[in-house]
Each structure stands twice: as structure tokens, then as C-alpha cells.
């Protein structure tokens, strides 16, 4: 079993319902959720989307290989209405793999740890909440240290406690 850390979220549609549906589908298709962050409302990142996102970190235990996790995550996004028109554009659901155990993967379709996680406050705040002492295998910093070093000043706020 591998520990897989995902961030899920979106900025269009019924954001809370989509988060709930994504969690259910991820448990059905990938593995048991063992940890979950609070719900966070966050400003859009990347410049191509409008409206605040609702995001949440999930830690899952799964026997699946990393590429299988990616395939299933992309299928779930599609089921939940995701359209990939514009990079970093509006979306009903985005599922990003942040970590796959302590592995480093650099393939054309998959980069783990996620190459932008240390730059995004909307990732680091919930990540530091659930796994504050997890060490990034390339940067050798904990989630808390990554958050402390983050230059992103976008607004990230807790809007709901852990379910």
C-alpha cells in the first residue's frame, strides 16, 4: 500500500457537492481516505480562471501504481464535468497528485512530487494542516517549512472543518 496525497477542488458548479462526489469516487476507484484537511476557499492561481476555488487535501492508502492513480483521477475529473480547454482555467474538478509515497517520478505524463506544490499557498496551507512534518523528497523541507518559505500571497481561508 502506498500513501498518496492529493489536492482536489474546483471553482465552478456546486463546489461542495463536487468535492463530496470526488471523495466518494476516489475512495471507490483508488483507495481508502485516511486523512483529510479542512475545506479551504482560495483565490484562483495561474491567471486564467475567475472565481474562488474550494480545495481540500486527501491522504489515501492505495495498492495502485502511480500511473494508474493518474488515469483514475483523470477519469473522475471527466465524470465530474472537467473540460481541459485552457491551462489553469476554470474547472468543476481538479485532482492533483502531490505525493506518491516518497517516490520521485519524472515522466512525460506525471511529475511527483507535484512540481508547483511548494509555490502554491492553496496547496501548502491544507498540506501543513494534515501532514506538517512530511518531508519533500527533493527540497528536503517539511510541509510547514515549505509554507513558511512560500512567496505566494494569495488569500487562503478555512471555510469548513474536517468532516
Amino acid at each position: 500500500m502506498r500513501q498518496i496525497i492529493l489536492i482536489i477542488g474546483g471553482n465552478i458548479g456546486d463546489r461542495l457537492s463536487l468535492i463530496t462526489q470526488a471523495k466518494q469516487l476516489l475512495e471507490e476507484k483508488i483507495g481508502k481516505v485516511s486523512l483529510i484537511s479542512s475545506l479551504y476557499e482560495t483565490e484562483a492561481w495561474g491567471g486564467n480562471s475567475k472565481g474562488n476555488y474550494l480545495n481540500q487535501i486527501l491522504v489515501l492508502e492505495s495498492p495502485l501504481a502511480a500511473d494508474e492513480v493518474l488515469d483514475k483521477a483523470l477519469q473522475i475529473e471527466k465524470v465530474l464535468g472537467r473540460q481541459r480547454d485552457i491551462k489553469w482555467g476554470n474547472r468543476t474538478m481538479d485532482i492533483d497528485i502531490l505525493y506518491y509515497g516518497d517516490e520521485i517520478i519524472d515522466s512525460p505524463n506525471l511529475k511527483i512530487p507535484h512540481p508547483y506544490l511548494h509555490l502554491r499557498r492553496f496547496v501548502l496551507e491544507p498540506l501543513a494542516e494534515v501532514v506538517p512534518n512530511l518531508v519533500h523528497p527533493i527540497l528536503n523541507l517539511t510541509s510547514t517549512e515549505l509554507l513558511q518559505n512560500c512567496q505566494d500571497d494569495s488569500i487562503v481561508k478555512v471555510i469548513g472543518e474536517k468532516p
Side-chain angles (χ1 to χ4, degrees):
M1 294 294 256
R2 297 274 184 191
Q3 183 181 70
I4 301 164
I5 302 178
L6 308 174
I7 186 163
I8 64 174
N11 71 324
I12 55 176
D14 183 341
R15 299 175 305 161
L16 183 56
S17 175
L18 288 162
I19 289 264
T20 301
Q21 291 175 62
K23 285 188 285 196
Q24 291 169 343
L25 290 168
L26 288 163
E27 276 211 306
E28 288 173 20
K29 307 288 185 190
I30 295 176
K32 182 176 178 0
V33 174
S34 59
L35 288 171
I36 193 165
S37 75
S38 300
L39 285 168
Y40 286 78
E41 187 166 50
T42 66
E43 289 184 307
W45 192 93
N48 291 326
S49 62
K50 303 270 190 266
N52 288 344
Y53 282 73
L54 192 60
N55 289 302
Q56 193 165 51
I57 294 277
L58 305 177
V59 179
L60 291 86
E61 305 298 326
S62 178
L64 299 179
D67 59 337
E68 292 176 288
V69 173
L70 177 62
D71 288 344
K72 292 189 182 302
L74 293 172
Q75 290 169 15
I76 292 167
E77 287 180 352
K78 191 171 184 178
V79 165
L80 296 177
R82 171 79 186 262
Q83 296 180 354
R84 293 181 176 271
D85 300 329
I86 300 171
K87 185 172 184 163
W88 296 326
N90 295 319
R91 61 202 71 176
T92 54
M93 181 53 56
D94 187 33
I95 302 170
D96 284 341
I97 305 169
L98 302 177
Y99 292 105
Y100 180 79
D102 60 358
E103 289 192 32
I104 299 169
I105 300 171
D106 188 4
S107 71
N109 295 326
L110 186 59
K111 308 230 182 286
I112 296 176
H114 191 287
Y116 299 114
L117 80 84
H118 65 289
L119 303 174
R120 298 172 166 176
R121 183 167 298 280
F122 74 87
V123 172
L124 293 172
E125 288 208 20
L127 191 64
E129 174 193 331
V130 294
V131 287
N133 298 315
L134 180 69
V135 176
H136 190 289
I138 297 171
L139 301 175
N140 293 315
L141 295 170
T142 67
S143 300
T144 301
E145 291 168 333
L146 290 171
L147 177 58
Q148 291 167 347
N149 293 337
C150 183
Q151 300 297 308
D152 178 9
D153 62 356
S154 59
I155 298 170
V156 175
K157 61 183 178 180
V158 174
I159 64 160
E161 295 305 313
K162 296 178 190 180

